[in-house]
Amino acid sequence: MGGSSSIGSFSILKVSGTLTSIGNKIDIGKNVGIGDFAHIGGAGGVVIGNDTIADAYLSLHPENHVFIDKQQLIREQGVTRKGIIIGSNCWIGAKVTVLDGSQVGNGCVIAAGAVVNGIFPDNVVIGGVPAKILKEI
């Protein structure tokens, strides 16, 4: 975990990577709280801003498989890595999945069960599959 002097509490946190491709850093801000059974993949890099809280089963996947060539196995086509950025002072509901390349602004609320795949501004409520802006705060 990167650069913070004070990290929130974690019940169970699983951080993934591979020995052949460690990937980018995971930078968790100050006073962050993450619920049970979280999965944070570090391959493409993850940044979580200060004072953000997340419920159980948060799942962050900053890597995506390439599947363009139908003549080649998907696992042999490589991956892309754009990373994930989650702003400060956010509340992330239970069982939220955030996909590679996603950016969530400061002061956002992400509804339980949402699948986030995109770029969202500050101070909005996000929800759905795929996630969209439900309202401004």
Side-chain angles (χ1 to χ4, degrees), residues 27-29 32 34 40 46-50 52 58 60 84 86-87:
D27 188 353
I28 299 176
V32 169
I34 298 176
I40 301 177
V46 170
V47 175
I48 300 174
N50 297 333
T52 287
L58 172 67
L60 306 179
I84 292 172
I86 298 173

Side-chain angles (χ1 to χ4, degrees), residues 92-108:
I92 303 170
K95 298 183 180 179
V96 167
T97 299
V98 183
L99 301 177
D100 189 35
S102 294
Q103 297 178 24
V104 176
N106 297 318
C108 289

Side-chain angles (χ1 to χ4, degrees), residues 22 28 31 35 42 52 54 64 66 75-76 82 87 95-96 101 106 115 128 132-133:
I22 299 297
I28 299 176
N31 303 312
T52 287
N64 200 7
V66 176
R75 67 180 176 82
E76 294 178 349
K82 298 176 186 174
K95 298 183 180 179
V96 167
N106 297 318
V115 177
K132 62 182 181 182
I133 296 173

